[in-house]
């Protein structure tokens, strides 16, 4: 702490323009000893309480009814590699695809995505060469719309896959850039994937337009193993009554004549329990067959009792929608609090832009170029943890050092009020410091 | 069916020695239209019923007490990459290792093993080259004691890893052969692993002797990434009061100066629910660190609620032992039935040898050389499914075509009586056919 105070005094010396009131407010905030966290895109305890009923939804009595104990399909025993039919139907409804195009796994869609990439590395896709065996000049490349989801980028980097950043716009990735990469005569064969969070995108909250979805589906890729990794993590996570509409990636790919191009992911991590949900992948029949053949080497089957527990509790898409309305009631005041404070404190001052999403888990803030890391640092030293600046970019480096991901779901409304005020204060200080340096 | 009857008549023509009574009995058995299965090493519904109490062991009330709702370690939320501390302690007790050497995952130890191999392929172990990048002449090799567990061999083959079969003896693998492979000046560097089911081995029921464990630990391998894959699937699965004792692989490796050589696996698949248990890996601090770093790329954490549910139900090792005694009460009569019928029908006739295990899930039967496939075929055509002959060997090929794995856990005692009688009958027929051919 003394170190930082010194550094503020240092920059104060340089930055004659910083209003003394700002620093006084910041010191006062520091003295309050806040301990708040706007970094983590995780549900609050109150949201988790909404699913308490699921804990006992599968007692011994319910099991007898649902499990056909003693039969081959006893859900307590081994088997059902692709998940139980009821859970496949439920996750299919959430993803708006046919049930037989769905595999339901355990609790993590990140694991499913990691495994898709891992198997492509070791075994290849659709009969193409394993990516791990490609010679130096032909190593795989992923297109990474950014700001995006840090764990996509981390997993990709983990496998040594090259990442090319593409800008995120209001309607999805910059498709001119995507096309120039995927359809490149010179390098297009190396481009094996694109990461997409197509609805209420992490962190910008953007939902891809139909035009963008159709352009993705129609990409003329020279690589037979090019895939769209369609991480539909917020498929039913509307904040208001009228949510965004996402055009079907399956339909778009089918109509574009590229039926095997997509993997869609979804989970109940932010529907029921973040740590104990169920996750699923959907794809074309050929891709599901390919995954199933490889999956059979890794497991005898998923945790079918947790799948059944989910089905008993959520029942169907109508049940999911009703449940998600209760989440929205808890989340709306939180998003509104942050957005109100940002508007009050930073509105119309040219100190930043931010998103007002209709769903999802994040608000994306773009401050003045070259200030994001400093804002995160100032917040941290006053007790408010934000997502590391740059985390939303491949390699953890934001080329403009301006994007900050705000996660308003976990803290209480009161905590968000305090944290947002401090955040706005830190943006003003960082902007003033920067102006003084210029 | 007609096809088989013809083939029996064919062989009958050749085989004047087959007593007509045998064929008459076989035809009578066929007419009974049996539909039995001694192939699958899975618990019976009655065994699964023993864990019914676990289904409601974690209701909302219990959760409040155990979960510290609202705290950072809320077990409903994300986190706890290595598993919850209570579950790590429970699985550590089962594996007889310290809790901080344990990672508890989801429902499948096969998945943990597959991932260990998969990560070695893509990233390498202990700083050594990724196996997928090794040049042609240096490709990895696994030592496979056989008969062994078919899924070990299938996963290994799936990654293109060469398998070398080593004979299983009464005290474990043929260690002279293992030493000659692992310590080979010419090829030892290529040998990266050995698959072991060290207690109540699948399928022979053998528990490795202390001498074998110590010789494995002391192997002078020139490969820094050589590992013993210690699949302790039946660690607490005694059939009688006095179970076998397995010497600690951790202690043996520590004492031999090879502390990073072992991965121990275990699960509750055959303790609670085969499809919805919890699985764990234990290893040295360096290996656990390495796994944790890679695991963080794949998941935010395991299903902690199912871990907590297990802890609430089983409590501790004493609870596990009490629970396993109830399993043993259900399993003993089944093993005894098969062993009695085998002794009555085949004893002292030179028609085969079989194991009388003190625990585990299998009886291993060795018939006359060149008869196993025929026995399995004859049984199948009379309605009794056995594990495919050869399945217990790498590549699915038993060089002597004599080993058959009998799984007595799933059928009822009555069914086992019928199935075993038919099995013995088929052994006699196959042996007679073979004698006639000689």
């Amino acid at each position: 702490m003394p170190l930082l105070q010194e550094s503020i005094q240092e920059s104060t010396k340089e930055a004659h323009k910083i209003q003394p009131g700002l620093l006084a407010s910041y010191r006062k905030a520091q003295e309050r000893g806040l301990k708040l966290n706007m970094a983590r895109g995780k549900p609050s305890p109150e949201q988790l309480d909404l699913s308490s009923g699921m804990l006992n939804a599968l007692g011994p009595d319910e099991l007898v009814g649902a499990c056909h104990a003693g039969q081959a399909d006893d859900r307590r025993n081994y088997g059902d590699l692709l998940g139980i039919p009821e859970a496949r139907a439920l996750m299919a409804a959430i993803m708006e695809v046919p049930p037989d195009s769905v595999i339901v796994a355990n609790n993590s869609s990140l694991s499913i995505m990691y495994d898709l990439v891992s198997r492509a590395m070791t075994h290849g896709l659709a009969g193409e060469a394993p990516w791990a065996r490609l010679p130096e000049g032909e190593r795989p490349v992923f297109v990474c719309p950014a700001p995006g989801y840090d764990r996509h980028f981390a997993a990709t980097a983990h496998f040594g896959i090259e990442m090319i950043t593409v800008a995120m716009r209001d309607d999805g990735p910059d498709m001119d850039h995507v096309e120039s990469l995927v359809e490149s005569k010179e390098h297009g064969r190396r481009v094996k994937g694109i990461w997409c969070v197509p609805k209420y995108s992490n962190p910008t909250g953007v939902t891809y337009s139909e035009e963008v979805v159709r352009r993705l589906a129609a990409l003329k890729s020279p690589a037979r193993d090019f895939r769209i990794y369609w991480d539909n993590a917020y498929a039913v996570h509307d904040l208001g009554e009228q949510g965004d509409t996402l055009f079907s990636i399956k339909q778009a790919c089918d109509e574009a004549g590229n039926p095997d191009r997509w993997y869609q992911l979804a989970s109940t991590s932010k529907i029921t329990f973040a740590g104990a949900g169920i996750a699923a992948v959907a794809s074309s029949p050929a891709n599901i067959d390919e995954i199933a053949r490889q999956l059979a080497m890794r497991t005898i089957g998923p945790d079918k009792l947790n799948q059944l527990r989910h089905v008993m509790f959520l029942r169907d898409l109508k049940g999911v929608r009703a449940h998600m309305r209760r989440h929205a009631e808890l989340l709306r005041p939180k998003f509104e609090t942050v957005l109100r404070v940002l508007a009050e404190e930073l509105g119309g001052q040219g100190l930043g832009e931010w998103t007002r999403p209709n769903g999802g888990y994040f608000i994306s803030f773009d401050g003045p170029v070259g200030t994001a890391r400093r804002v995160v640092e100032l917040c941290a030293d006053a007790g408010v943890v934000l997502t590391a600046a740059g985390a939303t970019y491949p390699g953890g480096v934001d080329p403009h050092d301006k994007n900050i991901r705000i996660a308003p779901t976990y803290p209480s409304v009161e905590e968000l009020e305090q944290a947002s005020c401090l955040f706005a204060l830190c943006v003003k200080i960082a902007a003033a410091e920067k102006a003084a340096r210029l």
Side-chain angles (χ1 to χ4, degrees), chain A:
Chain A
M1 202 69 86
L3 206 80
L4 180 89
Q5 285 181 341
E6 248 176 80
S7 96
I8 289 184
Q9 282 156 4
E10 277 301 316
S11 48
T12 316
K13 278 182 212 154
E14 298 163 29
H16 302 292
K17 286 177 200 162
I18 303 186
Q19 298 156 13
L22 287 180
L23 287 179
S25 301
Y26 182 76
R27 294 230 171 76
K28 209 179 283 174
Q30 279 189 313
E31 278 157 20
R32 264 189 289 162
L34 296 177
K35 215 182 150 187
L36 302 173
N37 193 313
M38 292 202 298
R40 295 170 301 184
K42 53 192 244 186
S44 66
E46 294 72 29
Q47 286 179 270
L48 299 169
D49 288 343
L50 295 175
S51 299
S52 287
M54 196 172 77
L55 290 168
N56 278 341
L58 185 65
D61 293 345
E62 291 81 4
L63 192 71
V64 171
C67 258
H68 320 288
Q71 300 299 308
D73 62 349
D74 189 332
R75 272 70 188 270
R76 303 168 300 177
N77 222 322
Y78 290 116
D80 273 315
L81 182 65
L82 307 186
I84 64 171
E86 305 94 308
R88 295 175 74 191
L90 179 68
M91 295 309 291
I94 288 173
M95 292 192 278
E96 301 181 336
V97 295
D100 60 3
S101 69
V102 173
I103 297 175
V104 186
N106 285 330
N107 71 324
S108 166
S109 61
L110 178 64
S111 294
I112 300 177
M113 292 184 268
Y114 177 101
D115 288 354
L116 286 171
V117 174
S118 182
R119 289 190 301 254
M121 292 296 294
T122 54
H123 290 81
L125 302 177
E128 296 292 299
W131 298 349
R133 293 216 179 275
L134 291 174
E136 194 62 53
E138 298 176 26
R139 294 278 166 81
V141 170
F142 264 54
V143 176
C144 298
Y149 179 35
D150 53 350
R151 287 179 184 269
H152 287 163
F153 305 150
T156 314
H158 178 67
F159 284 105
I161 295 171
E162 190 183 324
M163 294 180 277
I164 298 181
T165 301
V166 159
M168 269 297 285
R169 308 207 158 169
D170 289 350
D171 61 349
D174 175 349
M175 284 307 300
D176 290 344
H177 193 183
V178 172
E179 282 166 358
S180 75
L181 295 166
V182 174
E183 300 181 350
S184 154
K185 287 229 163 57
E186 202 178 352
H187 301 300
R189 252 175 60 90
R190 290 181 56 200
V191 179
K192 303 299 190 189
I194 179 169
W195 288 117
C196 300
V197 184
K199 189 169 181 181
Y200 306 137
S201 187
N202 177 351
T204 65
V206 158
T207 297
Y208 291 16
S209 69
E210 178 177 341
E211 192 203 330
V212 164
V213 177
R214 287 196 182 274
R215 283 177 75 180
L216 283 165
L219 283 166
K220 291 178 194 66
S221 166
R224 281 190 58 227
D225 48 359
F226 170 72
R227 297 283 180 272
I228 299 167
Y229 293 79
W230 201 246
D231 184 3
N232 204 356
Y234 309 103
V236 291
H237 302 60
D238 307 328
L239 279 172
E241 274 304 308
Q242 194 57 42
D244 291 355
T245 301
L246 175 67
F247 193 77
S248 161
I249 187 68
K250 174 187 186 305
Q251 185 184 336
C253 287
D254 284 347
E255 291 179 7
N258 293 315
D260 297 330
R261 171 162 292 177
W262 59 287
Y263 298 124
Q264 184 174 185
L265 293 309
S267 81
T268 66
S269 296
K270 291 174 180 99
I271 298 176
T272 57
F273 297 128
I278 57 177
V281 57
S283 197
S284 68
N287 287 348
I288 290 294
D289 278 357
E290 182 177 67
I291 296 170
R293 278 196 307 276
Q294 298 185 321
L295 201 57
M297 298 293 119
R298 187 179 180 272
T299 184
I300 310 179
D303 180 342
K304 301 190 295 292
L305 291 187
N306 202 35
Q307 296 187 0
L308 193 54
R309 198 175 283 121
H310 272 75
V311 172
M312 308 284 282
F313 179 64
L314 294 171
R315 307 226 163 254
D316 52 21
L317 188 58
K318 212 175 128 193
V320 171
R321 296 239 177 250
H323 189 69
M324 293 314 289
R325 277 195 289 275
R326 290 188 277 275
H327 278 283
E329 280 164 28
L330 294 170
L331 290 176
R332 258 196 318 269
K334 298 189 174 187
F335 277 78
E336 283 166 1
T337 298
V338 175
L339 292 171
R340 177 177 50 72
V341 172
L342 291 180
E344 286 171 3
E345 299 292 326
L346 300 175
Q349 301 176 47
L351 288 175
E353 294 179 335
W354 53 91
T355 56
R356 292 160 196 80
N358 296 324
Y361 263 57
F362 301 104
I363 293 166
S364 181
F365 180 88
D366 279 337
V369 168
T371 61
R373 270 186 303 178
R374 179 63 177 151
V375 170
V376 171
E377 182 187 34
L378 284 166
C379 281
D381 285 311
V384 172
V385 179
L386 296 170
T387 307
T392 53
Y393 282 80
V397 179
D398 172 0
H400 303 295
D401 187 27
K402 68 175 189 180
N403 185 252
I404 294 173
R405 186 182 83 167
I406 299 174
T409 58
Y410 191 79
S412 68
V413 169
E414 295 67 34
E415 290 170 335
L416 285 167
E417 176 93 27
Q418 293 184 303
S420 304
C421 286
L422 180 81
F423 174 79
L425 181 62
C426 294
V427 169
K428 289 177 194 170
I429 294 173
E433 285 177 359
K434 200 209 158 200
R437 280 199 304 277
L438 294 177

